[in-house]
């Protein structure tokens, strides 16, 4: 597209999780956050050769933040085209050691 705008609305809800055993060091309660979201993108028009015109592209999905908010898993479905998307992301603080 030549131009576009996107917005995401997300609601984060902490959930209980199963304690992880650290052997002789005890247990740790790993926080898990459930984050349902809606996402809206507007594109002015597609580049030449594309089969879909521009316009609004909404989607809805859910994210799960785990490993002390270091890792995030997302799954979403586009409401206009019907495609599923899956994503895995690490926080920026973790990128330095990769």
């Amino acid at each position: 597209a030549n131009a576009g705008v996107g917005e995401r609305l997300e609601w984060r809800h902490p959930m209980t999780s199963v304690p992880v055993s650290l052997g002789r060091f005890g247990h740790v309660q790993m926080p898990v956050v459930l984050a349902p979201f809606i996402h809206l993108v507007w594109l002015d028009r597609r580049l030449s050769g594309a089969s879909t015109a521009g316009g609004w592209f909404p989607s809805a999905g859910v994210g799960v933040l785990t490993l002390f908010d270091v890792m995030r898993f997302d799954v979403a479905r586009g409401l206009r085209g019907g495609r599923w998307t899956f994503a895995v992301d690490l926080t920026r603080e973790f990128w330095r050691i990769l």
Side-chain angles (χ1 to χ4, degrees):
N2 294 325
V5 176
E7 188 60 43
R8 181 183 187 120
L9 180 63
E10 179 174 292
W11 177 62
R12 292 187 178 194
H13 180 69
M15 298 177 54
T16 59
S17 63
V18 177
V20 176
S21 175
L22 298 176
R24 65 182 175 142
F25 300 106
H27 292 83
V28 64
Q29 187 79 20
M30 190 178 318
V32 175
V33 177
L34 187 67
F37 63 86
I38 56 172
H39 190 83
L40 187 62
V41 174
W42 175 79
L43 301 174
D44 69 338
R45 64 184 175 114
R46 292 283 190 156
L47 297 175
S48 61
S51 61
T52 306
W56 294 100
F57 293 88
S59 63
V62 65
V64 176
L65 288 87
T66 187
L67 294 175
F68 302 101
D69 290 343
V70 171
M71 186 173 286
R72 179 182 176 119
F73 299 95
D74 281 341
V75 61
R77 181 166 173 98
L79 302 176
R80 181 172 168 181
R83 290 189 177 178
W84 285 94
T85 58
F86 303 93
V88 177
D89 192 19
L90 299 172
T91 61
R92 290 180 189 242
E93 291 81 18
F94 196 69
W95 291 357
R96 290 186 288 239
I97 65 172
L98 292 179

